[in-house]
Amino acid sequence: MAAAISVRELTMAYGPRAIQHDLTFDVAAGEIFVIMGGSGCGKSTLLRHMIGLQKPAKGQVFLRGDDFWAASEAQRSQQQRQFGVLFQSGALWSSLTLAENVGLIIEQYTRLDEQAVRELASFKLALVGLRGFEDYYPSEISGGMRKRAGLARALAIDPSILFIDEPSAGLDPISSKQLDDLLLELRDSLNATIVMVTHELPSIFAIADRAVFLDAVTRTMIALGDPKELIHTADPVVRTFLKRGQR
């Protein structure tokens, strides 16, 4: 499959301290790709480098063959319109209803009138199972529903690539499973490419086509592939991570 995103020899650093170095991998169009690893290994930092929030210390990120960080700021901004992002907290505006949260993005990037914005926001909420909740505020719904609302907002302008940071954080197992099922449905129905940061094993094994493992000790990637195959790898760090909790 063609690569939607290509990362080449990427080094991430805060000042002189390298977080990860020499990261090289492709994300195929239409796949669910997981960034995994232990706490503090740089998973969310890698996501920020891929969406344009943090510049690499070295290396390149290509978006469908175009060098993302070599482009002008205006060109990067145009490329970012292809992205939908769901942050770990959901990042909803507490003073806005769910429809207003989704509609805010639509208003910013389209010329639709108020009624059309409202209808499109309602449609996006319906896509994630929140039909009828348009006028609810974030404080009036559950954590799982807030994640779904955040996902609806990420889908607001029909992105081709979704970036998702720890979608199951703070959710109970049932809500987490429902969110995993929703991501699979969205990938299949919208033909979207999904890049997801998570350390949750049920989600990794349920929905990941491939995954990259970032190691906090060596500060580089030490595994890449289907998690169902990586669980049998000879590398003890990766194997222990993927088998934790098993007897």
Side-chain angles (χ1 to χ4, degrees):
M1 297 177 67
I5 305 169
S6 297
V7 174
R8 293 290 178 269
E9 300 297 326
L10 185 72
T11 293
M12 311 182 300
Y14 291 108
R17 180 174 179 268
I19 307 301
Q20 289 282 325
H21 63 87
D22 298 321
L23 304 181
T24 294
F25 59 86
D26 292 325
V27 179
E31 78 171 337
I32 297 180
F33 186 90
V34 166
I35 301 168
M36 62 182 184
S39 297
C41 68
K43 299 187 296 296
S44 295
T45 302
L46 175 55
L47 198 70
R48 290 197 294 272
H49 280 72
M50 295 171 74
I51 64 178
L53 294 182
Q54 193 167 337
K55 189 173 182 178
K58 188 183 76 171
Q60 298 163 294
V61 177
F62 294 93
L63 181 65
R64 292 189 175 85
D66 295 326
D67 193 331
F68 183 69
W69 283 104
S72 68
E73 187 173 344
Q75 289 171 324
R76 281 200 304 276
S77 179
Q78 186 65 30
Q79 290 174 322
Q80 286 171 323
R81 292 187 62 174
Q82 302 177 53
F83 301 165
V85 183
L86 174 59
F87 294 103
Q88 184 174 338
S89 64
L92 297 172
W93 293 98
S94 61
S95 59
L96 301 180
T97 66
L98 301 190
E100 288 169 342
N101 264 283
V102 178
L104 193 64
I105 305 300
I106 300 171
E107 289 174 357
Q108 183 176 0
Y109 291 104
T110 73
R111 297 181 179 179
L112 297 176
D113 61 34
E114 184 177 344
Q115 180 60 32
V117 168
R118 169 77 182 191
E119 290 175 357
L120 186 54
S122 296
F123 172 70
K124 298 299 181 179
L125 287 166
L127 273 181
V128 300
L130 291 176
R131 184 187 301 277
F133 288 88
E134 291 86 350
D135 296 321
Y136 281 66
Y137 288 89
S139 61
E140 297 175 323
I141 58 177
S142 69
M145 294 170 76
R146 285 194 291 274
K147 288 290 179 73
R148 286 172 174 259
L151 186 55
R153 189 178 61 181
L155 294 168
I157 55 172
D158 301 322
S160 59
I161 305 174
L162 280 172
F163 293 94
I164 304 175
D165 192 2
E166 296 284 7
S168 300
L171 299 184
D172 61 83
I174 293 176
S175 297
S176 180
K177 173 66 164 57
Q178 290 172 339
L179 190 56
D180 287 343
D181 291 342
L182 176 59
L183 292 174
L184 286 171
E185 291 173 12
L186 291 173
R187 189 274 307 271
D188 294 340
S189 61
L190 302 178
N191 196 32
T193 302
I194 299 176
V195 179
M196 182 172 77
V197 168
T198 186
H199 65 277
E200 299 288 345
L201 291 183
S203 293
I204 291 171
F205 288 117
I207 70 174
D209 293 304
R210 292 187 309 127
V212 62
F213 187 93
L214 305 185
D215 181 44
V217 176
T218 60
R219 298 182 185 177
T220 192
M221 55 186 285
I222 58 174
L224 175 67
D226 184 338
K228 298 181 184 66
E229 297 174 0
L230 293 179
I231 197 171
H232 303 297
T233 182
D235 191 298
V237 175
V238 179
R239 192 172 63 249
T240 299
F241 178 89
L242 290 173
K243 287 188 174 183
R244 68 187 192 278
Q246 294 185 5
R247 293 183 177 179

